[in-house]
Amino acid sequence: MNGFANWAVHFFMLDEGPLIWLSDFLIGCATIGIIVALTYFKLWKWLWDNWLTTVDHKKIGIMYLIAAVLMLFRGGTDGLLMRAQLSWPNLHFLNADHYDQIFTTHGTIMILFMAMPAIIGFFNVAVPLQIGCRDVAFPYLNAISFWLFFAAALLFNLSFVVGGSPDGGWTSYPPYVENVFDPGPGENYFLVALQITGIGTIATGVNFLITILRMRAPGMTMMRLPMFTWSVFITSIIIVFAFPVLTVALALLLIDRDFGSHFFTVTGGGMPMQYINLFWIWGHPEVYIVILPAFGIFSEVVSTFSHKRLFGYSAMVVSMIAIAILSFIVWVHHFFTMGAGPGVNSFFGVSTMAIAIPTGVKIFNWLFTMHKGRVEFTSAMLWAVGFIPNFLIGGLTGVMLAVPPADYQYHNSYFLIAHFHYVLIGGTVFGVFAAIYYWWPKMFGVLLDEKLGRWHFWMFMIGFNICFFPQFFLGFMGMQRRMYTYPAGYGWGIINLISTVGAVLMGVGFLIFVWNILWSARFGQRDTTGDPWDGRSLEWATTSPAPEYNFAIIPTVKGRDAWWLMKKTGESINGPKGVPFRPIHMPNNSGRPIIMSLFFFIAGGGFIFQWWVLAIIGLLGVLVTMAQRSFEYHDHHYIPVEEIEKTEAAAGRL
């Protein structure tokens, strides 16, 4: 009995101190609270029928965004814990092991479990509406993609309280993460969770690539696509080529750890640098996977709230294509210091600098779009305008890092930390917040409060600069990344304290954002028009929220800014008067995607803890659910004309 008790204490990390105890308690309370609330209000059937089994792209997008906001809270909390630890010399609020785990989970969650689902959420919310179609090309696969992400996120976050979190950094370089140096299940959580979510992401890339190529409304040529849809199209291509590389690299490292192979162990003839190359062949395109859709968001927001057509449309498209191509030939700048030689370093230094040219084109296009426009500074527009100077700082410091001799000084210092936070927060997170304020009425039929939105923007933006701008100076002063504490006497203490104050202000900004959501749900202005911003693209032609079928009659597009043109000519989104409705073909909901993800979760647990019976059960379950789908022939239904007429009449569009 004592042996079992000791195992349970270690397995559930009850010997790790009050931080884990508090987490266990809060997770238990939250789980019990959710179960009690769903049972008391008899919401289980509603939840299953309307959300857990949905294949509607709009609802899937909302679930992605809910998960992203939760992951932003988790990743942000990790960041605040790190800043608390570093706020003054010789602190031991966190010990070295806990600090390693927290900076690993912070980076992994923010990039792969916050930025990715947020961006993909907006793929789902906006793209089918913008191109005038009724759903994505493969709705069932879309649901599988979401539930694979959800299973992976749940598995990864479980590591905090069961078995131990990964502690090898979000890059997980061997040999540091091989079994000899990093025993236990922590690193396996990282490897398995990222492979599961990676499968879903590849499926998403294929899905949206086909959707944009094959399901556009009549007249919607490629050069009439809204810029956000163009960004999604190019991002999907990058996903299809980049994510398989990550999947292979993680699979090889997992085989090293679980089965004793030597792909990356030097003593067994392996090559750790091979993993690092594979990781960054994915890793740098990944930066553009989360940045390019943000560029598309800013293009939509700037054009809408400047009340002008986007300046230099063709140049914007070409610049995004150039960025996508260049993103695959810059990865070596992440390790100039490995000693590849002047030829290799020169090539990758020049290619890295070159990527600033198409990025600069986009900056000027947004500025010229605003020039002489009737600029309306809504909350969404504030995030778009605030992005420009902050991202510019990230871009210019990126050019500094692209110079190999200079990079020898900056490498692994806090200068690098500041640089990539200016790029990823100043670019992606600002873009996500802009999109939330912009498309929130379309998702929920209610506008977020503008006054609270401005408070959110200014608190977060000021806190962001207070937090990260001083870190450039910490880098110049020699402070290295991944340090969990530091001695007095280096002059770093005051600067770190200022940086921590900025992080707290960002946290306050996030809380204002959450309060805005809650307040607006109860008291916010309702969108009864479907077009609260006087928008330009087709998503604003539908009601808010859009009906299940999106469009009663697929619109015919006659130019860029299709909805803007229709409004100018007085056309109806349902076509000329007297055009009859017809039954609309739609996919059926299915519970199989969430069940499949449960089996992936079970198999993942087996590979993490090397419980092979569990892994086999999980994989067999996945195969069975796939086989069942193969023999499912009645997977669709038709919405009758009477129901369409009733919906359109309620919207005042008959």
Side-chain angles (χ1 to χ4, degrees):
M1 187 65 182
N2 286 337
F4 176 78
N6 290 335
W7 175 86
V9 166
H10 182 69
F11 184 76
F12 292 104
M13 302 175 64
L14 298 178
D15 54 349
E16 292 292 329
L19 201 61
I20 302 298
W21 303 341
L22 179 61
S23 299
D24 286 336
F25 175 75
L26 293 176
I27 290 170
C29 288
T31 303
I32 293 170
I34 291 170
I35 292 171
V36 168
L38 290 172
T39 304
Y40 180 79
F41 292 106
K42 299 179 181 178
L43 293 175
W44 286 107
K45 188 175 187 305
W46 170 83
L47 185 66
W48 178 261
D49 291 342
N50 290 281
W51 293 95
L52 301 184
T53 61
T54 188
V55 296
D56 185 339
H57 69 94
K58 299 178 289 296
K59 291 182 177 179
I60 289 172
I62 289 170
M63 291 193 292
Y64 268 118
L65 291 171
I66 292 171
V69 171
L70 292 174
M71 291 298 99
L72 179 58
F73 172 76
R74 164 70 206 277
T77 302
D78 286 344
L80 286 171
L81 290 171
M82 287 191 291
R83 288 312 321 161
Q85 167 63 25
L86 293 171
S87 59
W88 204 248
N90 296 315
L91 289 184
H92 294 282
F93 168 65
L94 300 172
N95 63 36
D97 287 339
H98 282 166
Y99 186 85
D100 287 349
Q101 292 176 26
I102 285 171
F103 83 67
T104 300
T105 55
H106 169 74
T108 307
I109 285 172
M110 290 304 242
I111 293 172
L112 286 153
F113 294 115
M114 189 289 291
M116 286 298 296
I119 291 300
I120 292 173
F122 289 116
F123 286 17
N124 279 277
V125 165
V127 168
L129 292 170
Q130 286 195 334
I131 66 174
C133 68
R134 294 197 168 110
D135 210 316
V136 295
F138 308 113
Y140 181 87
L141 183 63
N142 198 26
I144 290 175
S145 295
F146 170 74
W147 289 112
L148 288 181
F149 152 75
F150 187 84
L154 188 61
L155 200 62
F156 187 84
N157 281 276
L158 197 63
S159 68
F160 191 65
V161 292
V162 178
S165 296
D167 58 2
W170 85 277
T171 55
S172 287
Y173 285 171
Y176 306 119
V177 297
E178 294 282 3
N179 283 328
V180 174
F181 303 107
D182 193 2
E187 179 61 22
N188 289 352
Y189 271 111
F190 174 92
L191 298 172
V192 172
L194 265 61
Q195 286 182 86
I196 293 173
T197 193
I199 294 169
T201 303
I202 293 169
T204 295
V206 172
N207 207 342
F208 279 89
L209 195 60
I210 301 303
T211 299
I212 295 169
L213 284 175
R214 302 295 299 167
M215 300 190 68
R216 304 188 305 277
M220 179 71 80
T221 63
M222 292 298 287
M223 292 308 288
R224 290 177 176 176
L225 288 175
M227 194 54 62
F228 177 69
T229 299
W230 255 114
S231 72
V232 173
F233 176 72
I234 294 169
T235 300
S236 297
I237 295 173
I238 300 176
I239 286 172
V240 168
F241 282 98
F243 261 85
V245 180
L246 177 70
T247 302
V248 169
L250 298 178
L252 294 176
L253 187 52
L254 184 65
I255 292 170
D256 270 11
R257 288 180 57 85
D258 271 1
F259 302 105
S261 64
H262 299 288
F263 291 108
F264 306 122
T265 51
V266 176
T267 55
M271 188 184 297
M273 274 308 305
Q274 183 65 21
Y275 172 88
I276 296 170
N277 272 281
L278 290 172
F279 183 89
W280 286 114
I281 288 172
W282 162 82
H284 206 82
E286 164 66 8
V287 172
Y288 294 97
I289 287 170
V290 296
I291 285 291
L292 286 179
F295 289 171
I297 290 164
F298 294 131
S299 298
E300 301 293 331
V301 170
V302 168
S303 177
T304 297
F305 294 113
S306 297
H307 300 282
K308 282 179 62 181
R309 293 186 71 176
L310 184 67
F311 180 88
Y313 177 96
S314 299
M316 293 284 268
V317 172
V318 172
S319 67
M320 280 199 291
I321 294 171
I323 289 170
I325 294 169
L326 289 170
S327 72
F328 283 95
I329 56 171
V330 297
W331 80 91
V332 173
H333 71 219
H334 290 276
F335 41 89
F336 279 144
T337 55
M338 79 174 185
V344 171
N345 284 355
S346 297
F347 173 83
F348 284 96
V350 170
S351 64
T352 302
M353 295 178 198
I355 213 165
I357 298 171
T359 306
V361 168
K362 303 176 80 61
I363 297 286
F364 282 108
N365 283 357
W366 291 316
L367 293 173
F368 284 128
T369 301
M370 288 185 275
H371 179 60
K372 293 188 178 180
R374 292 182 291 110
V375 180
E376 186 180 355
F377 286 102
T378 62
S379 296
M381 188 63 169
L382 286 175
W383 288 105
V385 173
F387 146 81
I388 293 175
N390 287 293
F391 190 78
L392 185 62
I393 292 171
L396 293 176
T397 53
V399 173
M400 294 171 68
L401 286 159
V403 180
D407 184 75
Y408 271 72
Q409 305 303 315
Y410 305 137
H411 187 73
N412 272 348
S413 74
Y414 261 72
F415 185 92
L416 175 63
I417 298 286
H419 155 72
F420 70 67
H421 279 87
Y422 264 92
V423 170
L424 291 175
I425 295 180
T428 302
V429 176
F430 277 38
V432 168
F433 282 135
I436 287 174
Y437 282 97
Y438 184 61
W439 279 311
W440 193 267
K442 187 54 57 182
M443 291 187 283
F444 298 106
V446 61
L447 281 70
L448 291 174
D449 183 72
E450 282 294 315
K451 183 176 180 181
L452 288 172
R454 287 181 171 85
W455 273 101
H456 169 212
F457 168 75
W458 287 110
M459 188 67 69
F460 193 94
M461 202 270 287
I462 292 170
F464 165 66
N465 280 278
I466 292 173
C467 179
F468 291 105
F469 197 78
Q471 292 181 13
F472 288 118
F473 299 100
L474 285 173
F476 287 139
M477 295 169 71
M479 186 170 178
Q480 296 295 294
R481 66 193 300 192
R482 305 188 182 102
M483 297 177 69
Y484 93 99
T485 191
Y486 53 92
Y490 287 141
W492 300 343
I494 292 295
I495 300 177
N496 271 302
L497 183 61
I498 293 170
S499 183
T500 301
V501 170
V504 171
L505 291 177
M506 293 170 70
V508 173
F510 176 78
L511 293 177
I512 295 172
F513 166 67
V514 173
W515 175 246
N516 195 351
I517 291 174
L518 298 175
W519 189 92
S520 298
R522 180 70 177 86
F523 303 107
Q525 177 187 344
R526 265 51 190 172
D527 174 23
T528 58
T529 66
D531 186 15
W533 311 127
D534 193 18
R536 309 182 74 84
S537 46
L538 286 175
E539 74 266 33
W540 304 111
T542 65
T543 57
S544 296
E548 176 190 359
Y549 50 79
N550 292 349
F551 302 95
I553 295 175
I554 297 298
T556 298
V557 174
K558 297 179 180 178
R560 292 179 199 157
D561 297 340
W563 176 232
W564 182 261
L565 293 176
M566 288 182 183
K567 288 187 289 186
K568 285 179 66 176
T569 57
E571 295 180 45
S572 168
I573 191 62
N574 286 333
K577 188 175 181 179
V579 176
F581 295 134
R582 295 180 179 178
I584 295 175
H585 175 274
M586 296 298 293
N588 288 341
N589 285 356
S590 176
R592 202 171 294 110
I594 190 173
I595 295 170
M596 182 186 291
S597 75
L598 176 62
F599 282 118
F600 267 102
F601 184 90
I602 292 169
F607 280 103
I608 288 166
F609 293 101
Q610 300 180 4
W611 298 341
W612 303 122
V613 172
L614 197 66
I616 291 169
I617 291 171
L619 292 176
L620 286 175
V622 171
L623 293 175
V624 168
T625 53
M626 292 172 69
Q628 286 180 327
R629 174 64 176 179
S630 299
F631 294 99
E632 182 179 18
Y633 300 107
H634 303 290
D635 60 353
H636 61 271
H637 65 279
Y638 285 89
I639 300 175
V641 170
E642 296 78 16
E643 185 177 336
I644 299 168
E645 289 177 342
K646 183 178 178 181
T647 303
E648 295 300 303
R653 296 192 298 189
L654 278 184

Short mmCIF file of all heavy atoms in Angstrom, two decimals, residues 83 86-89 414 470 473-480 483 485-499:
data_model
loop_
_atom_site.label_atom_id
_atom_site.label_comp_id
_atom_site.label_asym_id
_atom_site.label_seq_id
_atom_site.Cartn_x
_atom_site.Cartn_y
_atom_site.Cartn_z
N ARG A 83 8.51 36.40 -15.04
CA ARG A 83 8.90 37.78 -14.73
C ARG A 83 9.00 38.01 -13.23
O ARG A 83 9.86 38.77 -12.76
CB ARG A 83 7.90 38.77 -15.34
CG ARG A 83 7.92 38.93 -16.84
CD ARG A 83 9.28 39.12 -17.45
NE ARG A 83 10.17 39.98 -16.69
CZ ARG A 83 11.49 40.02 -16.83
NH1 ARG A 83 12.08 39.22 -17.70
NH2 ARG A 83 12.22 40.83 -16.11
N LEU A 86 12.35 36.76 -12.14
CA LEU A 86 13.50 37.53 -12.62
C LEU A 86 13.45 39.00 -12.21
O LEU A 86 14.33 39.78 -12.61
CB LEU A 86 13.57 37.44 -14.15
CG LEU A 86 13.89 36.06 -14.73
CD1 LEU A 86 13.70 36.07 -16.24
CD2 LEU A 86 15.30 35.63 -14.36
N SER A 87 12.46 39.38 -11.43
CA SER A 87 12.27 40.81 -11.15
C SER A 87 13.36 41.40 -10.27
O SER A 87 13.49 42.63 -10.19
CB SER A 87 10.90 41.04 -10.51
OG SER A 87 10.78 40.31 -9.30
N TRP A 88 14.14 40.56 -9.60
CA TRP A 88 15.22 41.07 -8.74
C TRP A 88 16.30 40.00 -8.61
O TRP A 88 16.02 38.81 -8.76
CB TRP A 88 14.66 41.45 -7.36
CG TRP A 88 15.50 42.46 -6.65
CD1 TRP A 88 16.25 42.25 -5.52
CD2 TRP A 88 15.72 43.83 -7.02
NE1 TRP A 88 16.90 43.41 -5.16
CE2 TRP A 88 16.59 44.40 -6.07
CE3 TRP A 88 15.24 44.63 -8.05
CZ2 TRP A 88 17.02 45.72 -6.14
CZ3 TRP A 88 15.67 45.95 -8.12
CH2 TRP A 88 16.54 46.48 -7.16
N PRO A 89 17.54 40.38 -8.36
CA PRO A 89 18.61 39.38 -8.25
C PRO A 89 18.37 38.40 -7.10
O PRO A 89 17.76 38.72 -6.08
CB PRO A 89 19.86 40.24 -7.98
CG PRO A 89 19.52 41.60 -8.46
CD PRO A 89 18.05 41.76 -8.24
N TYR A 414 19.07 38.52 -24.21
CA TYR A 414 17.74 39.10 -24.08
C TYR A 414 17.40 40.05 -25.22
O TYR A 414 16.23 40.40 -25.41
CB TYR A 414 17.59 39.79 -22.71
CG TYR A 414 16.86 38.89 -21.75
CD1 TYR A 414 17.47 37.77 -21.22
CD2 TYR A 414 15.53 39.15 -21.41
CE1 TYR A 414 16.79 36.93 -20.37
CE2 TYR A 414 14.84 38.31 -20.56
CZ TYR A 414 15.47 37.19 -20.04
OH TYR A 414 14.79 36.36 -19.21
N PRO A 470 12.91 47.41 -22.61
CA PRO A 470 14.13 47.38 -21.78
C PRO A 470 14.95 46.11 -21.98
O PRO A 470 16.15 46.11 -21.69
CB PRO A 470 13.58 47.46 -20.35
CG PRO A 470 12.24 48.09 -20.47
CD PRO A 470 11.70 47.60 -21.78
N PHE A 473 18.17 46.35 -23.92
CA PHE A 473 19.32 46.83 -23.17
C PHE A 473 19.89 45.72 -22.28
O PHE A 473 21.11 45.64 -22.10
CB PHE A 473 18.93 48.05 -22.34
CG PHE A 473 18.45 49.20 -23.19
CD1 PHE A 473 17.10 49.44 -23.35
CD2 PHE A 473 19.35 50.00 -23.87
CE1 PHE A 473 16.65 50.48 -24.15
CE2 PHE A 473 18.91 51.05 -24.67
CZ PHE A 473 17.56 51.29 -24.81
N LEU A 474 19.01 44.87 -21.74
CA LEU A 474 19.52 43.72 -20.98
C LEU A 474 20.39 42.84 -21.87
O LEU A 474 21.41 42.31 -21.43
CB LEU A 474 18.34 42.90 -20.42
CG LEU A 474 17.60 43.49 -19.22
CD1 LEU A 474 16.37 42.64 -18.90
CD2 LEU A 474 18.52 43.55 -18.00
N GLY A 475 19.98 42.68 -23.13
CA GLY A 475 20.79 41.90 -24.06
C GLY A 475 22.14 42.54 -24.30
O GLY A 475 23.18 41.86 -24.30
N PHE A 476 22.16 43.87 -24.50
CA PHE A 476 23.44 44.57 -24.68
C PHE A 476 24.33 44.45 -23.45
O PHE A 476 25.56 44.45 -23.54
CB PHE A 476 23.19 46.05 -24.98
CG PHE A 476 22.64 46.32 -26.35
CD1 PHE A 476 21.64 47.27 -26.53
CD2 PHE A 476 23.13 45.64 -27.45
CE1 PHE A 476 21.14 47.53 -27.79
CE2 PHE A 476 22.63 45.90 -28.72
CZ PHE A 476 21.63 46.84 -28.90
N MET A 477 23.68 44.32 -22.28
CA MET A 477 24.44 44.24 -21.03
C MET A 477 24.86 42.81 -20.69
O MET A 477 25.46 42.58 -19.64
CB MET A 477 23.60 44.82 -19.88
CG MET A 477 23.32 46.32 -20.04
SD MET A 477 22.08 46.93 -18.89
CE MET A 477 22.99 46.86 -17.34
N GLY A 478 24.51 41.86 -21.57
CA GLY A 478 25.04 40.50 -21.41
C GLY A 478 24.11 39.50 -20.75
O GLY A 478 24.52 38.36 -20.51
N MET A 479 22.87 39.87 -20.46
CA MET A 479 21.96 38.90 -19.82
C MET A 479 21.52 37.86 -20.85
O MET A 479 21.03 38.19 -21.92
CB MET A 479 20.74 39.61 -19.23
CG MET A 479 19.85 38.66 -18.45
SD MET A 479 18.58 39.50 -17.49
CE MET A 479 17.73 38.10 -16.80
N GLN A 480 21.69 36.61 -20.49
CA GLN A 480 21.37 35.50 -21.39
C GLN A 480 19.96 34.97 -21.15
O GLN A 480 19.45 34.99 -20.03
CB GLN A 480 22.37 34.36 -21.21
CG GLN A 480 23.79 34.73 -21.60
CD GLN A 480 23.91 35.02 -23.07
OE1 GLN A 480 23.75 34.13 -23.90
NE2 GLN A 480 24.20 36.26 -23.43
N MET A 483 18.09 32.09 -18.15
CA MET A 483 18.63 32.21 -16.79
C MET A 483 17.46 32.26 -15.81
O MET A 483 16.54 33.05 -16.00
CB MET A 483 19.47 33.48 -16.66
CG MET A 483 20.68 33.52 -17.54
SD MET A 483 21.59 35.08 -17.42
CE MET A 483 22.23 34.96 -15.76
N THR A 485 17.89 32.80 -12.44
CA THR A 485 18.22 33.83 -11.46
C THR A 485 19.57 34.43 -11.84
O THR A 485 20.24 33.94 -12.77
CB THR A 485 18.24 33.28 -10.03
OG1 THR A 485 18.32 34.36 -9.10
CG2 THR A 485 19.43 32.33 -9.82
N TYR A 486 19.98 35.47 -11.16
CA TYR A 486 21.23 36.13 -11.49
C TYR A 486 21.74 36.86 -10.26
O TYR A 486 20.96 37.27 -9.38
CB TYR A 486 21.04 37.11 -12.67
CG TYR A 486 19.94 38.11 -12.45
CD1 TYR A 486 20.18 39.37 -11.88
CD2 TYR A 486 18.62 37.81 -12.80
CE1 TYR A 486 19.17 40.29 -11.66
CE2 TYR A 486 17.58 38.72 -12.59
CZ TYR A 486 17.87 39.95 -12.02
OH TYR A 486 16.86 40.84 -11.81
N PRO A 487 23.05 37.03 -10.14
CA PRO A 487 23.59 37.70 -8.95
C PRO A 487 23.44 39.21 -9.04
O PRO A 487 23.26 39.78 -10.12
CB PRO A 487 25.08 37.30 -8.98
CG PRO A 487 25.37 37.04 -10.42
CD PRO A 487 24.11 36.49 -11.01
N ALA A 488 23.51 39.85 -7.89
CA ALA A 488 23.52 41.32 -7.86
C ALA A 488 24.86 41.82 -8.40
O ALA A 488 25.85 41.09 -8.44
CB ALA A 488 23.30 41.81 -6.44
N GLY A 489 24.89 43.06 -8.84
CA GLY A 489 26.15 43.66 -9.27
C GLY A 489 26.29 43.81 -10.76
O GLY A 489 27.20 44.50 -11.22
N TYR A 490 25.40 43.18 -11.55
CA TYR A 490 25.47 43.32 -13.00
C TYR A 490 24.67 44.52 -13.51
O TYR A 490 24.74 44.85 -14.69
CB TYR A 490 24.95 42.06 -13.69
CG TYR A 490 25.88 40.86 -13.59
CD1 TYR A 490 25.38 39.58 -13.40
CD2 TYR A 490 27.26 41.02 -13.70
CE1 TYR A 490 26.21 38.48 -13.31
CE2 TYR A 490 28.11 39.93 -13.62
CZ TYR A 490 27.59 38.66 -13.42
OH TYR A 490 28.42 37.58 -13.34
N GLY A 491 23.89 45.13 -12.65
CA GLY A 491 23.06 46.25 -13.08
C GLY A 491 21.79 45.85 -13.79
O GLY A 491 21.14 46.68 -14.45
N TRP A 492 21.40 44.56 -13.67
CA TRP A 492 20.21 44.08 -14.37
C TRP A 492 18.93 44.23 -13.54
O TRP A 492 17.82 44.13 -14.08
CB TRP A 492 20.36 42.59 -14.72
CG TRP A 492 21.52 42.28 -15.60
CD1 TRP A 492 22.26 43.14 -16.36
CD2 TRP A 492 22.09 40.97 -15.80
NE1 TRP A 492 23.25 42.48 -17.01
CE2 TRP A 492 23.18 41.14 -16.70
CE3 TRP A 492 21.81 39.70 -15.33
CZ2 TRP A 492 23.95 40.07 -17.13
CZ3 TRP A 492 22.57 38.63 -15.76
CH2 TRP A 492 23.64 38.81 -16.64
N GLY A 493 19.05 44.42 -12.24
CA GLY A 493 17.91 44.32 -11.34
C GLY A 493 16.81 45.33 -11.65
O GLY A 493 15.64 44.96 -11.80
N ILE A 494 17.16 46.62 -11.73
CA ILE A 494 16.16 47.66 -11.96
C ILE A 494 15.47 47.46 -13.31
O ILE A 494 14.24 47.60 -13.43
CB ILE A 494 16.80 49.06 -11.88
CG1 ILE A 494 17.26 49.36 -10.45
CG2 ILE A 494 15.81 50.13 -12.34
CD1 ILE A 494 16.13 49.45 -9.43
N ILE A 495 16.24 47.12 -14.33
CA ILE A 495 15.66 46.94 -15.67
C ILE A 495 14.69 45.76 -15.66
O ILE A 495 13.60 45.82 -16.25
CB ILE A 495 16.77 46.75 -16.72
CG1 ILE A 495 17.69 47.97 -16.76
CG2 ILE A 495 16.17 46.51 -18.10
CD1 ILE A 495 18.85 47.85 -17.71
N ASN A 496 15.07 44.67 -15.00
CA ASN A 496 14.16 43.52 -14.90
C ASN A 496 12.90 43.86 -14.12
O ASN A 496 11.80 43.39 -14.45
CB ASN A 496 14.88 42.34 -14.24
CG ASN A 496 15.59 41.46 -15.25
OD1 ASN A 496 14.99 40.93 -16.17
ND2 ASN A 496 16.90 41.32 -15.08
N LEU A 497 13.04 44.68 -13.09
CA LEU A 497 11.86 45.09 -12.31
C LEU A 497 10.91 45.91 -13.18
O LEU A 497 9.69 45.71 -13.15
CB LEU A 497 12.30 45.89 -11.09
CG LEU A 497 11.17 46.34 -10.14
CD1 LEU A 497 10.44 45.13 -9.56
CD2 LEU A 497 11.74 47.21 -9.03
N ILE A 498 11.46 46.84 -13.98
CA ILE A 498 10.64 47.63 -14.89
C ILE A 498 9.93 46.71 -15.89
O ILE A 498 8.72 46.86 -16.16
CB ILE A 498 11.51 48.67 -15.64
CG1 ILE A 498 12.03 49.73 -14.66
CG2 ILE A 498 10.72 49.32 -16.78
CD1 ILE A 498 13.08 50.65 -15.25
N SER A 499 10.66 45.74 -16.41
CA SER A 499 10.08 44.78 -17.35
C SER A 499 8.93 44.01 -16.71
O SER A 499 7.89 43.78 -17.35
CB SER A 499 11.16 43.82 -17.85
OG SER A 499 10.66 42.93 -18.81
#
